[in-house]
Amino acid sequence: KAPDCAGVSVRARRIPPSLGPLQRLAGTCKSSAMRTAASAMGAAGLSLAVLPGLAVAALSPARASLIRGMSYGPVPLKSVAGASQLPEDDWFCDEAVPMWGRAGRGDLHVIRNMGANFVRLYGNNGLNDHTNFLDEAGSLGLGVAAGMSDYPYYQKVPGSCRESTDFNCFTQVKPAYLLNLQRGFLTPSGQYHEALRYMNILNEPDLKMPPDATTGSEQGPIEMGRSLISAFDAILDAEREAGVNGPLINFT
């Protein structure tokens, strides 16, 4: 509390863009404490602003462009045995709306209110449609980083690229990514959904393709590289087949 600032309380807090223009604190409050806070926050790339009864820190344009992300994989079972009973771990499909949607728990809204501007996902079932999740994330100003499922790499039995095609993942990944493009990743005009920013080709490849890629024989890094390169080639070929146009997403 700053006694000579008409009851304005001072807190450092990131302001969502949806709040619109903010009244600048400069000239509003004359306390030395507030001036000191404003000076320190300015040096950190932040600026103080005032809402009714609340002084807050708004991000500078440079810092506002930084990714402030949160990983999202809300498995509702705490035991390994319980989690193993889940049919899949795709949490950005319509079946999970009661968790991430506004009509349910509203996880995406909570994540945005915590100051994040980005959400990173893991599981991905191409048979599920992901349009509604991307629409909801976009409406909240959240960028999305989706990821390929582990299924085509080593979970598919039989037929994974680790066990069946000597770490060449083209034939397994291309149809999986085509399904993603057809079920939410692309708009009717063939452009990527505006909320989708990144696609993770393979999560933690050094622990999976093969499991001892960085601790075993010299063949391990070669097989890991073959997995990643063939998968990326498959994704690019899927884009060409789907006629993707407009701004493209990044891959990691």
Side-chain angles (χ1 to χ4, degrees), residues 47-115:
S47 59
L48 281 176
V50 171
L51 291 175
L54 179 67
V56 293
L59 287 174
S60 68
R63 286 181 178 265
S65 66
L66 296 175
I67 291 176
R68 303 185 301 283
M70 185 174 294
S71 296
Y72 187 64
V75 178
L77 301 165
K78 296 183 178 181
S79 69
V80 175
S84 68
Q85 297 176 31
L86 290 173
E88 59 183 86
D89 61 347
D90 181 343
W91 297 104
F92 68 126
C93 64
D94 289 345
E95 285 76 8
V97 166
M99 301 184 77
W100 55 259
R102 300 187 191 196
R105 196 167 71 178
D107 288 353
L108 287 181
H109 194 267
V110 173
I111 289 171
R112 188 67 182 96
N113 282 345
M114 291 176 71

Side-chain angles (χ1 to χ4, degrees), residues 188-251:
S189 64
Q191 297 188 357
Y192 273 109
H193 193 289
E194 62 178 1
L196 187 62
R197 311 287 174 77
Y198 290 86
M199 186 69 188
N200 188 5
I201 299 172
L202 174 58
N203 184 50
E204 299 176 341
D206 54 316
L207 301 180
K208 301 170 182 175
M209 303 297 289
D212 61 349
T214 58
T215 60
S217 70
E218 62 182 16
Q219 189 66 16
I222 295 173
E223 293 170 339
M224 181 177 68
R226 186 184 304 143
S227 301
L228 291 169
I229 293 170
S230 60
F232 190 28
D233 191 27
I235 288 172
L236 296 178
D237 204 50
E239 285 187 332
R240 284 190 289 268
E241 185 171 316
V244 175
N245 62 87
L248 300 176
I249 63 173
N250 293 308
F251 292 89

Side-chain angles (χ1 to χ4, degrees), residues 119-187:
V119 60
R120 186 264 172 97
L121 305 166
Y122 294 88
N124 180 351
N125 184 347
L127 297 176
N128 295 330
D129 193 284
H130 299 112
T131 305
N132 289 328
F133 182 96
L134 293 172
D135 285 348
E136 178 76 353
S139 72
L140 294 170
L142 286 169
V144 174
M148 288 297 300
S149 169
D150 287 338
Y151 183 75
Y153 294 104
Y154 69 93
Q155 293 176 338
K156 184 180 181 181
V157 179
S160 73
C161 59
R162 190 170 78 182
E163 303 300 331
S164 302
T165 53
D166 193 25
F167 295 89
N168 184 335
C169 301
F170 187 93
T171 57
Q172 291 89 350
V173 170
K174 181 181 176 181
Y177 196 65
L178 267 173
L179 286 173
N180 280 156
L181 296 176
Q182 295 163 359
R183 303 188 182 195
F185 281 22
L186 297 183
T187 65

